[in-house]
Amino acid sequence: MKTHLLRTSILAVVAIVAVHAQTLNFKVKVPFDFIVVGQTLPAGQYSVDVRTVSGVVTINCVDQKGAAGTIGLPLSAVGAQNEEKLVFHRYGDTYFLAQVWAGGSYGRKLPTTNREHELAAKRLDPDNITVVASR
């Protein structure tokens, strides 16, 4: 009886982890070159994957021109958002990927690079540019 209870408990934990360890993904067309964790990626169609538990964010160019990955800090919205989107900080003509929103109220804040810190020191407020996912 104890063995059966232990097995059932372990299966329940595994099932809960499997449900929460999902990957949210979407496609988005970015019309400008941009920087992710120090790596410049060209304008183009991207596949974005966000692992909900680990916070790993990967961005892969559909044309195989580039890819990047990082761990983002959790963000939450005050209301459910119905669209997947990327939020960029723009300094002049330089764009930095700042946030990834995978629908609902789930988002990730990406690390700020040294270059963005340098540009921010020259100009206090970046422009926020939002690119909504393709449907």
Side-chain angles (χ1 to χ4, degrees), residues 76-85 101-106:
S76 60
V78 176
Q81 300 185 21
N82 295 328
E83 56 193 14
E84 294 89 4
K85 62 185 176 183
W101 290 90
S105 60
Y106 183 79

Side-chain angles (χ1 to χ4, degrees), residues 88-96 123 125-129:
F88 297 87
H89 290 165
R90 181 181 72 181
Y91 300 88
D93 61 352
T94 305
Y95 296 82
F96 296 89
R123 181 177 172 196
D125 295 321
D127 295 324
N128 284 330
I129 308 297

